[in-house]
Amino acid sequence: MSVLAQRWKLDEQRFSWMYEQMRAPRGVERDEKTGIWNVHGHANALQVLNNPAIFSSGTGRLIPENSEFDEGAITQLDPPRHTALRKLVSAAFSPKAIGELEPRVHAIVDTLLAKVADQPGFDLVTDFAYPLPITVITELLGVPASDHGLIHGWVDAMMSGTMEYSLVERDEQLDNEIDFVLEQARHITDYLRVLLKERMTNPRKDMLTSLVEAEIDGERLTEAEIVNFANALLVAGHVTTTALIGSTVLCLDAFPEADKKVRADRRLVPTLIEESLRYFPPIGMMARVTNAEVELDGVTIGPDQLVGVWIPTANRDGSVFADPFVFDPAREPNPHMAFGRGVHFCIGAALARREGRIAMNALFDRFPGLRVDPEGTPSFLTSPNLNGVSKLPVVVE
């Protein structure tokens, strides 16, 4: 059993990959209850994620409830449309752009930590891990700082359920939960639509204006494409980094020797971030749909089947990672799959890594004795497709 799972008594079914005695499963199997083909293992994950022609990201054709958010949603598109849309914002996430953004990230970090500097403790997520990336991505998009609370409330509500989706068994509870999630998503897209219309008459130097003015093959993007694209960037642009920062602190608290090692040698902070991403990846599962019959790990999967690639088990594949259940902040190489692979490799991965490194160095600098509050209990995200903490009380000694 992993230290983290044992310490916080993580649900053995939800976090089965954390329990060493169960071993990380490898292979392909169909869950008869959900109708989803679960894919485990590093090589299998690579085969799925690196082949968009066979394994499509357009899951909307099997999950029609989400169809209104599919047009322009970069996470739901395949090449060539995905490639064209991705290119529109790639410059904002280039090494040069991220380097220019770094002073602003430092300033946000300093402001947030100054607010809690004189407190004996604080909620790491609410006071730091969430507001840092949401501020960065909303500023890039052009969302006013005064509206961050609105976005936070809608995203929190979206992720408050279990979302244990099934193509086979549907009940009133699942239908109600889906309706609730879609309602929160509409709040965000309706909000972005208002900003979009404003940018049409009052352009600014932000990503939303760039999308309004962009053309692909001589044609402007539709309103739905812009709104859904911006929505995907907004949500994905902060949820992963929030989880990363919280999980890194959680892991260091569970592994005090690792904490001492990194504090004594800050050159390990980059590899610490990578090991946190491997050990407790923010994304639990990445979904794809088969375009044709395909054989995967000796198993035949028919067309129009929903395939779930489980990132945590790929990251614990013993054929790729030595001692996969050991948290090693100096692990190298570390070919984890927390940011995916292939054409859908997270466009904001470099920004998330930079934010994570800056955040952890700042926490080390300001709070040499920071640890998880022994009198408090972390609250973990409830969605099976996301890993991380929604609340993490810490104390400063």
Side-chain angles (χ1 to χ4, degrees):
M1 182 187 298
S2 79
V3 174
L4 197 61
Q6 183 179 32
R7 177 164 187 174
W8 299 112
K9 299 179 176 59
L10 299 183
D11 178 77
E12 291 193 21
Q13 181 176 359
R14 160 84 193 281
F15 295 100
S16 61
W17 44 273
M18 291 288 287
Y19 288 81
E20 186 171 3
Q21 75 272 20
M22 296 180 183
R23 309 306 302 176
R26 295 179 63 191
V28 179
E29 58 184 4
R30 185 177 187 272
D31 186 331
E32 299 300 328
K33 184 178 179 180
T34 64
I36 299 172
W37 290 85
N38 292 317
V39 174
H40 302 288
H42 200 272
N44 290 333
L46 283 175
Q47 186 172 343
V48 173
L49 299 179
N50 281 332
N51 290 279
I54 298 174
F55 298 97
S56 168
S57 294
T59 60
R61 68 179 191 250
L62 295 185
I63 308 175
E65 295 90 349
N66 291 341
S67 60
E68 66 183 281
F69 304 103
D70 287 349
E71 185 181 357
I74 194 170
T75 55
Q76 289 289 311
L77 297 174
D78 298 318
R81 191 64 176 178
H82 168 268
T83 306
L85 280 173
R86 185 180 176 109
K87 190 179 295 185
L88 293 179
V89 296
S90 60
F93 299 101
S94 68
K96 179 177 182 294
I98 292 173
E100 293 173 349
L101 191 60
E102 184 165 328
R104 177 57 182 149
V105 176
H106 278 286
I108 296 168
V109 166
D110 290 343
T111 299
L112 293 172
L113 293 185
K115 293 179 180 179
V116 298
D118 297 325
Q119 299 176 193
F122 57 95
D123 184 338
L124 186 88
V125 176
T126 302
D127 296 325
F128 184 61
Y130 175 82
L132 168 58
I134 190 66
T135 301
V136 173
I137 192 62
T138 52
E139 286 185 356
L140 283 174
L141 278 168
V143 175
S146 58
D147 292 338
H148 290 182
L150 286 174
I151 303 295
H152 190 180
W154 293 327
V155 174
D156 273 3
M158 283 174 63
M159 298 180 180
S160 63
T162 60
M163 284 308 292
E164 295 178 350
Y165 193 83
S166 173
L167 296 170
V168 179
E169 298 182 4
R170 296 292 294 266
D171 56 28
E172 185 177 355
Q173 180 179 349
L174 176 58
D175 288 338
N176 289 338
E177 188 166 311
I178 290 173
D179 288 342
F180 179 75
V181 169
L182 294 178
E183 181 183 1
Q184 308 315 306
R186 290 188 193 101
H187 286 315
I188 299 175
T189 53
D190 287 346
Y191 170 83
L192 291 171
R193 192 169 284 107
V194 173
L195 289 186
L196 179 156
K197 293 182 183 301
E198 192 272 339
R199 293 302 190 277
M200 289 179 175
T201 57
N202 184 25
R204 303 182 188 182
K205 292 183 178 181
D206 55 36
M207 196 179 294
L208 197 56
T209 298
S210 296
L211 292 174
V212 169
E213 296 176 346
E215 292 185 357
I216 296 179
D217 297 330
E219 294 185 359
R220 293 287 180 94
L221 301 181
T222 67
E223 181 179 293
E225 282 183 312
I226 296 172
V227 167
N228 290 330
F229 191 7
N231 178 41
L233 290 171
L234 177 63
V235 176
H238 78 276
V239 169
T240 299
T241 308
T242 298
L244 168 60
I245 297 170
S247 296
T248 303
V249 171
L250 195 72
C251 287
L252 288 176
D253 186 77
F255 299 93
E257 290 304 314
D259 185 43
K260 292 178 184 177
K261 188 174 183 178
V262 178
R263 286 181 183 272
D265 185 359
R266 295 293 190 81
R267 291 173 299 178
L268 293 176
V269 169
T271 52
L272 164 68
I273 294 297
E274 299 307 309
E275 181 67 345
S276 176
L277 287 165
R278 183 197 73 84
Y279 193 83
F280 205 47
I283 304 300
M285 187 265 279
M286 296 181 182
R288 298 290 188 268
V289 176
T290 53
N291 284 330
E293 183 179 288
V294 61
E295 184 175 306
L296 184 63
D297 202 12
V299 177
T300 300
I301 304 175
D304 296 317
Q305 297 293 302
L306 191 61
V307 173
V309 178
W310 288 94
I311 302 304
T313 57
N315 284 356
R316 276 173 168 68
D317 191 327
S319 68
V320 178
F321 303 96
D323 299 318
F325 287 86
V326 172
F327 183 82
D328 179 7
R331 185 185 295 273
E332 286 188 294
N334 192 347
H336 66 77
M337 304 187 72
F339 290 121
R341 281 291 193 278
V343 297
H344 278 279
F345 183 80
C346 178
I347 194 172
L351 177 58
R353 285 176 164 130
R354 188 73 61 94
E355 290 174 336
R357 293 172 190 174
I358 293 172
M360 292 310 303
N361 273 311
L363 289 172
F364 289 146
D365 286 340
R366 287 177 177 258
F367 308 116
L370 182 141
R371 62 192 178 100
V372 176
D373 187 347
E375 302 299 322
T377 303
S379 295
F380 290 83
L381 296 171
T382 56
S383 170
N385 295 340
L386 294 171
N387 299 313
V389 285
S390 56
K391 290 184 179 180
L392 184 60
V394 295
V395 291
V396 179
E397 298 177 341

